[in-house]
Amino acid sequence: MSSPLAIHGGPPVLRTMAPQVPWPPIDINTAVAVTAQLYNAVSLPGRTGVVAELEIRLAEFFGVRHAVVTSSGTAALHSAYAALGLADGDEVIVPAYTSHATATPLLHLRAKPVLVDCDELGNLDPERVRAAITPFTKAIVATHMWGVPARIEALADLARQHGIALVEDGSHAHGAAIGGQRIGTFGSIAAFSTGGSKPLSGGEGGFVLTDDDDLYYRVLLHGQDGSRCRSEIPIDHPLRRYALTGTGLAHRMHPLAAALTLGQLGELDRRLGGRRQIAARVITELRELPGISVPEVPGRYAPSWYAVPLLHRPEELGGLPVDALVAALRAEGCLEVDHPRAPRPLNEHPLFDAPNRLFPNLPEGWPRYRPGQYPRAERRHRNTLTLKVPHNDPELADGYIRAFRKVITHHRTLIGPD
Ligand SMILES: Cc1ncc(COP(=O)(O)O)c(C=O)c1O
């Protein structure tokens, strides 16, 4: 029997300080690139300099015609939805389990989010989507939760059959792929966040991808600078007359964020390769343990593992509450494990139950969403533990595995007497 749990005063498995998986990785090249940008230009309204370079490199990386960088993932989603013309009462199928930001821009456009429950990997369930399509459905939005690809081919088929748009929210899944095809290239348009510790991160930011010229011009008009719209929208295009003002929003990416993102992009595939190897080892080892389910991802799927989502099975651990499990793991020094409060099922947010207080001009008959309506999403959220895995530190990952083994072996000591 190993030593007592650290939460009970035993020695912890790991003594590595936080952050154990610093992301994005910052090295001397990052510092040089960002500092050079500081002296070069800190405002780039047009498609020039580092903004142009990043967009060209993103378009190459994803193999699409157009990439537009934005101030955030929310701005990217807002621009994508506006470009599709989603408006007044249009129904848009959105995963019940996703970031609220996947759906909130729809409220600004008065388009109706229709929530659909998730499949066994936590992503939009194509069968449930099929059942939710009505004559008013204009688009399906798929998130690839925690970097595990959604069943996007089935969703693309459905969208095609019904003549509606497929939008990907790739915010967790930069560099993820199915059968070699990158996430972000399965629908008519895709939006990504590059904020925080997203697989591709510039600290704050986002981008939109599309192959469609018209959608591209509309994305530009939604939030990019007038000078840029004037130089890119053809003189004979019907939307060209709006170039100077666009819709009046400002969604431009900061050049320093662009410099940071550009440096990360060149390293992304290599780093994700390392992350996938380590994730595979962690998953293989944790699969053997009671009380935890690991994601069983089809062989054609290459996740980006924004985090490895593990499902707590309290019934196999004497009813051990998820927070007690996380507290014990963190005490063992497993600091990258979390029971995330967000993203959470959208029906649990007051905003989707009573949006009128913040959006007073929504049409009559707006759907109200309440806790209890999306049992799969809610169960998944309640029981999800996320584990951030490093791309280059197998010893740390071994420590995580030992910490999980130790805590689960001793789980009875975490449960109080009846
Ligand atoms: C799935 C998803 N979509 C959109 C967003 C919004 O991105 P941002 O915070 O850059 O606006 C997030 C943010 O975490 C997210 O997780």
Side-chain angles (χ1 to χ4, degrees), residues 312-395:
H312 173 49
R313 303 170 76 89
E315 66 282 5
E316 294 177 9
L317 298 178
L320 178 69
V322 66
D323 289 329
L325 175 61
V326 170
L329 286 163
R330 293 179 70 88
E332 294 300 335
C334 198
L335 303 181
E336 299 285 357
V337 75
D338 191 20
H339 175 46
R341 298 294 185 258
R344 66 183 310 132
L346 301 191
N347 57 305
E348 294 185 351
H349 288 290
L351 181 63
F352 295 94
D353 176 21
N356 288 73
R357 295 246 169 93
L358 294 183
F359 292 95
N361 64 348
L362 295 178
E364 290 292 309
W366 199 262
R368 299 191 68 168
Y369 293 109
R370 300 266 166 74
Q373 289 173 320
Y374 295 91
R376 284 181 166 210
E378 292 168 51
R379 203 175 323 118
R380 173 158 280 275
H381 170 64
R382 226 173 13 253
N383 292 328
T384 289
L385 301 185
T386 52
L387 181 63
K388 297 258 182 196
V389 291
H391 63 287
N392 58 358
D393 191 348
E395 289 78 28

Side-chain angles (χ1 to χ4, degrees), residues 72-74 77 98-99 101-102 143 169 171-172 193 198 205:
S72 68
T74 309
L77 285 156
T98 183
S99 162
T102 310
T143 307
D169 178 349
S171 296
H172 295 186
S193 165
K198 301 290 178 349

Side-chain angles (χ1 to χ4, degrees), residues 24 102 162 168 203-204 223 228 234 306 372 382:
T102 310
H162 291 269
E168 288 180 85
E204 298 288 350
R228 171 168 185 180
Y306 175 39
R382 226 173 13 253

Side-chain angles (χ1 to χ4, degrees), residues 150-349:
R151 281 145 70 194
I152 198 73
E153 292 152 309
L155 294 169
D157 285 346
L158 272 178
R160 248 189 313 275
Q161 283 160 20
H162 291 269
I164 57 183
L166 174 64
V167 183
E168 288 180 85
D169 178 349
S171 296
H172 295 186
H174 321 63
I178 298 179
Q181 182 176 348
R182 289 198 197 274
I183 291 309
T185 65
F186 287 86
S188 15
I189 195 161
F192 290 71
S193 165
T194 50
S197 62
K198 301 290 178 349
L200 177 66
S201 173
E204 298 288 350
F207 58 91
V208 180
L209 305 175
T210 185
D211 277 329
D212 184 302
D213 290 349
D214 242 56
L215 290 178
Y216 174 59
Y217 301 144
R218 286 179 181 274
V219 167
L220 294 182
L221 287 166
H222 191 250
Q224 303 294 315
D225 192 77
S227 63
R228 171 168 185 180
C229 294
R230 278 164 68 88
S231 64
E232 287 184 68
I233 303 175
I235 200 97
D236 56 351
H237 193 281
L239 293 173
R240 164 67 189 225
R241 56 200 291 253
Y242 302 104
L244 202 56
T245 58
T247 68
L249 297 178
H251 288 333
R252 294 184 300 276
M253 180 180 272
H254 196 290
L256 295 182
L260 187 46
T261 313
L262 185 61
Q264 306 301 319
L265 182 57
E267 300 295 323
L268 184 63
D269 272 337
R270 186 181 62 77
R271 287 176 178 157
L272 287 188
R275 197 187 264 193
R276 283 188 192 111
Q277 276 186 9
I278 291 183
R281 173 160 159 61
V282 168
I283 287 171
T284 303
E285 296 295 328
L286 298 190
R287 187 182 282 120
E288 306 303 319
L289 298 178
I292 295 284
S293 294
V294 296
E296 300 296 351
V297 175
R300 298 172 62 236
Y301 285 23
S304 58
W305 298 126
Y306 175 39
V308 175
L310 304 166
L311 273 189
H312 173 49
R313 303 170 76 89
E315 66 282 5
E316 294 177 9
L317 298 178
L320 178 69
V322 66
D323 289 329
L325 175 61
V326 170
L329 286 163
R330 293 179 70 88
E332 294 300 335
C334 198
L335 303 181
E336 299 285 357
V337 75
D338 191 20
H339 175 46
R341 298 294 185 258
R344 66 183 310 132
L346 301 191
N347 57 305
E348 294 185 351
H349 288 290

Side-chain angles (χ1 to χ4, degrees), residues 49-95:
V50 69
V51 165
E53 200 182 335
L54 177 57
E55 290 186 351
I56 291 166
R57 295 277 305 285
L58 283 168
E60 278 169 12
F61 181 86
F62 286 95
V64 297
R65 280 169 55 74
H66 304 293
V68 181
V69 294
T70 57
S71 50
S72 68
T74 309
L77 285 156
H78 195 183
S79 296
Y81 297 152
L84 286 168
L86 300 176
D88 260 1
D90 287 342
E91 293 183 5
V92 180
I93 291 177
V94 174

